[in-house]
Amino acid sequence: MTITTEPAATSESWGELRSKTVYWHDPKVALEAAPGRTGLEYLTAMANGEIPGAPIGGLLGMRAVSASAGEIVFACTPDESMYNPIGLVHGGVACTLLDSAAGCAVHTTLPANVGYTSIEIKVNYLRPIHAHTGELIVRGWVTKPGRRVAFAEADVRDADGAVLATATSTCLILGG
């Protein structure tokens, strides 16, 4: 699948036009590997490279680093293609990272054939993120598991451990 989006307008005074190539695997491959696996088994297989990550990971350059019961860690290195109009990484990128980490942390607590979906997230942006910030470490952890609803938190830190953004999340448990 190839998708190309050309800019609506351009001017020589804007400098060179830059581009970014995004790669992802067919999400069906990972989805077909899910039945019969607990959430922790599924996400551990993803972190270990046994099954492909979610396409959003390809878009943001996000990868699973580790998964354990009630906790997950992702890494992501932002670039200027993620900038908003004021020259910072868009808050939606941090929110997506936090939502992914909180939700996947909940997923690590779920039995086989049970899923989740986010129903609420509250984000606090504490420090700006730039392309030169370097690799981000995104950690999510469950604060209260549940059979119908689960609660989790997440944070984004830079390589020095400074907290850049935090979130609290509520997830609806699907099935089970």
Side-chain angles (χ1 to χ4, degrees), residues 31-164:
L31 292 173
E32 288 173 348
R37 293 184 192 218
T38 66
L40 180 56
E41 291 168 342
Y42 181 69
L43 290 169
T44 298
M46 201 170 279
N48 291 340
E50 297 166 29
I51 59 175
I56 189 70
L59 183 64
L60 296 181
M62 176 176 64
R63 66 190 187 290
V65 173
S66 65
S68 59
E71 184 173 322
I72 191 131
V73 177
F74 290 106
C76 172
T77 303
D79 62 53
E80 67 182 16
S81 73
M82 300 175 185
Y83 275 9
N84 62 19
I86 61 171
L88 300 172
V89 171
H90 193 283
V93 172
C95 184
T96 300
L97 296 170
L98 292 162
D99 183 56
S100 297
C104 287
V106 167
H107 196 182
T108 66
T109 67
L110 300 180
N113 308 317
V114 175
Y116 71 94
T117 189
S118 301
I119 55 176
E120 179 182 54
I121 188 166
K122 196 247 186 239
V123 176
N124 290 305
Y125 302 98
L126 307 175
R127 293 191 169 124
I129 301 172
H130 302 269
H132 66 272
T133 298
E135 184 175 65
L136 305 176
I137 303 301
V138 188
R139 181 176 156 261
W141 62 95
V142 174
T143 56
K144 185 180 182 313
R147 289 182 7 177
R148 294 177 52 96
V149 175
F151 301 89
E153 295 182 10
D155 64 26
V156 176
R157 295 174 184 257
D158 66 15
D160 295 327
V163 180
L164 307 176

